[in-house]
Amino acid sequence: MSSTKKNSIKKRLMEYLIITVASTLYGLATAMLVDPNNIAPGGMTGLAIVINRLIPIGTGKWFWIMNIPILLVAIWKFGIRFTVSTIYATGVISLTTDFFHNYLSAYFINDIILGVTIGSALSAIAMGLIFKNHATSGGTDVIIKLLRLRYPHIKTGMLFIMTDMVVLIIAGIVFGDISAALYSFLSVIITSSVLDLVLYGRDGAKLLYIISDHPDIITARLLEELDIGVTHVFAQGAYSGEDKKVIMCAIKKRLSPLAEDIVREEDPNAFMIVTSASEIFGEGYKSYFDERM
């Protein structure tokens, strides 16, 4: 076995180790902090907690049951190779959530403030680690992609907000307590903020320069799948003298990994520079005049 293949296997095993630890942390936060305090933090986890109140099957089991059709769609759309790590993460989250709920119930933290703050922060840290190791926690990501096919005029961020709001409204009705829905809304905000911090740091946005032999294919996917603006800069290689079409795009930080995946899939040999952009003015970002008022 070549050293390159050995390194690849070691890297993949390390990724699965981190996914296992992160998924266990997610299950711990859900079982010990979020679920006992009637917090429905959006997405499949929030929906699983709500349905658990109506049909008392374990929250982890509901999380897995609801993800099954979504994972099948993901396999159909994206292939088993790109879905297996998500299936694994989803399974570990389901098992550990019910395990901690069943065997550590005496240690539940029945404090809604701690549940919202610490529980949401731990969940976000766990999700960030899962995402960084090429997996997801299932559920909402696939749903959003399918909705984008049906409603391409609606922005991705707005669809995330809409799906979370549906869960929060259902939670308020099922729990019969408007304060529970408001605390759940606060949980969504904390989770989103901490997740951004874990994944992308404090940078406001990213600026990408992509030099590839397949610029048109990459550009088409960036425009269609991410709905971002792309500019072509015409350049010439100093050594080869060849004319090049350089792709330049400013992108919101949460979309940066998706753009990098597109480049990696279309041209593994592409030369890509990713820099931090602290401020971006213009359509889709901040208004120059409003910011200076």
Side-chain angles (χ1 to χ4, degrees), residues 10-274:
K10 286 180 180 179
K11 181 180 177 182
R12 197 60 179 151
L13 288 174
M14 181 57 67
E15 286 179 351
Y16 269 89
L17 176 60
I18 295 173
I19 291 171
T20 302
V21 173
S23 299
T24 302
L25 177 62
Y26 191 99
L28 179 67
T30 301
M32 303 292 290
L33 288 154
V34 177
D35 196 352
N37 291 293
N38 285 343
I39 301 167
M44 285 296 113
T45 302
L47 199 55
I49 290 171
V50 170
I51 295 178
N52 170 262
R53 301 305 188 268
L54 299 174
I55 305 174
I57 298 174
T59 298
K61 291 187 181 67
W62 275 123
F63 180 79
W64 176 250
I65 290 169
M66 289 188 297
N67 266 295
I68 288 175
I70 296 171
L71 292 172
L72 290 175
V73 172
I75 293 171
W76 172 46
K77 288 288 186 181
F78 312 117
I80 186 66
R81 179 185 169 190
F82 299 102
T83 313
V84 64
S85 55
T86 292
I87 294 173
Y88 177 75
T90 304
V92 174
I93 289 171
S94 174
L95 290 172
T96 54
T97 297
D98 282 349
F99 174 83
F100 291 127
H101 183 274
N102 294 333
Y103 294 101
L104 295 180
S105 57
Y107 301 98
F108 285 173
I109 299 174
N110 293 299
D111 184 312
I112 196 162
I113 300 299
L114 290 177
V116 169
T117 54
I118 306 301
S120 301
L122 289 177
S123 297
I125 291 170
M127 289 170 62
L129 291 172
I130 292 170
F131 292 161
K132 279 191 169 185
N133 287 275
H134 309 102
T136 74
S137 55
T140 309
D141 291 344
V142 178
I143 293 174
I144 296 301
K145 287 185 179 181
L146 293 175
L147 288 174
R148 279 282 293 162
L149 294 176
R150 180 67 178 83
Y151 305 104
H153 58 285
I154 303 178
K155 303 293 186 184
T156 300
M158 182 57 65
L159 287 172
F160 271 109
I161 293 173
M162 290 166 61
T163 54
D164 283 340
M165 288 302 103
V166 169
V167 175
L168 297 183
I169 291 170
I170 294 173
I173 294 171
V174 172
F175 295 149
D177 183 1
I178 187 65
S179 63
L182 292 174
Y183 276 119
S184 296
F185 177 67
L186 181 58
S187 174
V188 170
I189 294 174
I190 293 173
T191 300
S192 176
S193 301
V194 175
L195 180 59
D196 273 357
L197 190 61
V198 172
L199 288 176
Y200 315 115
R202 297 183 180 275
D203 299 329
K206 299 290 184 181
L207 182 61
L208 274 62
Y209 293 95
I210 304 161
I211 303 172
S212 167
D213 291 331
H214 310 288
D216 294 328
I217 297 175
I218 294 173
T219 297
R221 289 192 61 184
L222 291 173
L223 292 170
E224 180 181 351
E225 297 179 26
L226 302 186
D227 193 27
I228 60 173
V230 177
T231 299
H232 285 158
V233 179
F234 293 92
Q236 187 179 69
Y239 178 76
S240 65
E242 294 181 2
D243 291 333
K244 288 285 185 179
K245 189 187 290 185
V246 180
I247 300 169
M248 182 184 76
C249 59
I251 188 169
K252 292 179 180 178
K253 55 190 177 183
R254 61 182 172 79
L255 295 177
S256 180
L258 301 179
E260 292 170 19
D261 285 343
I262 288 173
V263 175
R264 191 178 299 111
E265 290 169 13
E266 296 298 338
D267 185 2
N269 297 316
F271 186 80
M272 179 166 54
I273 302 171
V274 182

